[in-house]
Amino acid sequence: MTATPSAVTGVHTYLALQVEALHEFREPVIRAEPDAVHRMRVATRRLRSLLSTYSGLYETMPLNRRRLRWLADELGTVRDLEVLRMRFAKRLGDERPDWFEALAEQERLAYEPLARACSRERTTKLLAAAQAMATAPQYSAAAAQPVESVLGPIVEASRRDLERALDAIDGAADPDAARHTARNAAKRTRYTAEAAVDLGEPAAAIASGAKRLQNLFGRCQDDVVAIRYLEAHAPESPVLERERQAHAKHLAKVEAALAERSGS
């Protein structure tokens, strides 16, 4: 007879993969290699989510969520500029107006403080704490319990949080902010369900649905950020109208997804 896996098995494997990514991309981030900032930032976000959601599986937690937030913010400064620069470069084709060159220069300069942050002893200690948690974890009694009894309620609670965030969009005073909140809730639900791999298909289905919503809301949020940037720095650019048109299309897809959910 096959033994029932403990609650911590898949969760800790998922956690260890994120820790591995932190170490893997630290030097590439310092060297400003393509996609490194994005990959390291995603790992920090997943770890923060896991430490919050699955803290009950660990007796001690040497890795601090607040310090992970600091690192994520440092990475985010560059990543946000990178996303805008890549987006506008695609829209502009071979054209490079002054406002775009200024954005590219802002991104280039932002790498300098990020490289210093990643080289600091604070980051070295953070990564050492992450490695210690990954390689020598101190589990709680709950970690030895069956998967369904421990992880099932956690994943379900995360799913309900996402549902509440989706419900809050309709009638929100600031729909953009409500959609952004829903996007963050979708991320947390996705990471929670992805880590609960030992629950099998039910968790996989929740992760897949949350990922779809995360992407839908993410496109809308990227539109909003791009539009605001252009309104402030290049209000006469024809790219602004293209961004507004893209936003309208993405909003329609979001509204269709929400209507589908309401009708199901």
Side-chain angles (χ1 to χ4, degrees):
M1 184 175 64
T2 303
T4 302
S6 68
V8 80
T9 305
V11 170
H12 191 72
T13 298
Y14 190 81
L15 181 146
L17 285 173
Q18 311 317 314
V19 172
E20 182 180 336
L22 286 187
H23 287 273
E24 178 182 354
F25 291 106
R26 182 187 188 182
E27 288 301 322
V29 164
I30 292 172
R31 295 192 296 267
E33 293 184 8
D35 204 38
V37 170
H38 173 57
R39 300 283 293 277
M40 191 172 185
R41 188 190 191 194
V42 169
T44 61
R45 286 179 163 180
R46 285 176 171 165
L47 279 171
R48 288 185 69 241
S49 179
L50 292 176
L51 293 180
S52 174
T53 306
Y54 292 114
S55 60
L57 299 178
Y58 296 90
E59 192 67 36
T60 60
M61 298 179 66
L63 185 55
N64 187 289
R65 289 184 69 245
R66 180 176 54 80
R67 293 188 177 182
L68 277 172
R69 174 62 183 269
W70 165 77
L71 180 58
D73 287 346
E74 294 288 334
L75 293 161
T77 298
V78 171
R79 176 57 181 168
D80 292 345
L81 293 169
E82 179 185 58
V83 168
L84 279 175
R85 190 256 308 160
M86 292 172 64
R87 181 187 185 102
F88 294 147
K90 185 176 181 180
R91 297 272 196 241
L92 290 165
D94 294 331
E95 185 185 0
R96 292 293 180 266
D98 290 345
W99 64 264
F100 178 85
E101 294 293 355
L103 171 63
E105 177 66 4
Q106 187 180 359
E107 179 193 356
R108 187 188 68 78
L109 292 175
Y111 265 101
E112 296 176 12
L114 175 59
R116 289 195 297 271
C118 286
S119 301
R120 286 178 59 182
E121 183 180 0
R122 179 177 184 177
T123 303
T124 299
K125 289 181 177 179
L126 187 158
L127 267 61
Q131 190 65 24
M133 188 166 182
T135 58
Q138 300 294 315
Y139 296 128
S140 68
Q145 299 302 309
V147 168
E148 291 80 3
S149 63
V150 177
L151 302 192
I154 292 174
V155 172
E156 176 58 20
S158 185
R159 188 194 66 78
R160 289 198 301 268
D161 286 344
L162 174 55
E163 291 295 323
R164 283 192 287 270
L166 296 174
D167 289 339
I169 295 172
D170 187 25
D174 186 342
D176 287 333
R179 283 187 288 266
H180 185 52
T181 297
R183 179 195 187 189
N184 289 335
K187 283 183 186 178
R188 289 191 297 271
T189 300
R190 174 189 173 186
Y191 300 156
T192 299
E194 283 180 344
V197 62
D198 290 323
L199 284 176
E201 181 55 33
I206 291 173
S208 178
K211 180 180 179 180
R212 175 172 175 263
L213 289 169
Q214 175 190 339
N215 289 337
L216 286 171
F217 289 123
R219 293 186 190 102
C220 283
Q221 179 63 18
D222 288 347
D223 296 337
V224 169
V225 173
I227 290 168
R228 288 175 180 170
Y229 185 90
L230 290 169
E231 287 176 340
H233 300 279
E236 303 303 321
S237 172
V239 176
L240 178 55
E241 182 56 31
R242 293 179 62 188
E243 292 292 359
R244 288 171 174 158
Q245 291 172 359
H247 187 44
K249 291 179 181 178
H250 293 150
L251 277 177
K253 290 182 179 180
V254 165
E255 290 167 2
L258 294 176
E260 178 185 342
R261 164 181 168 267
S262 300
S264 62

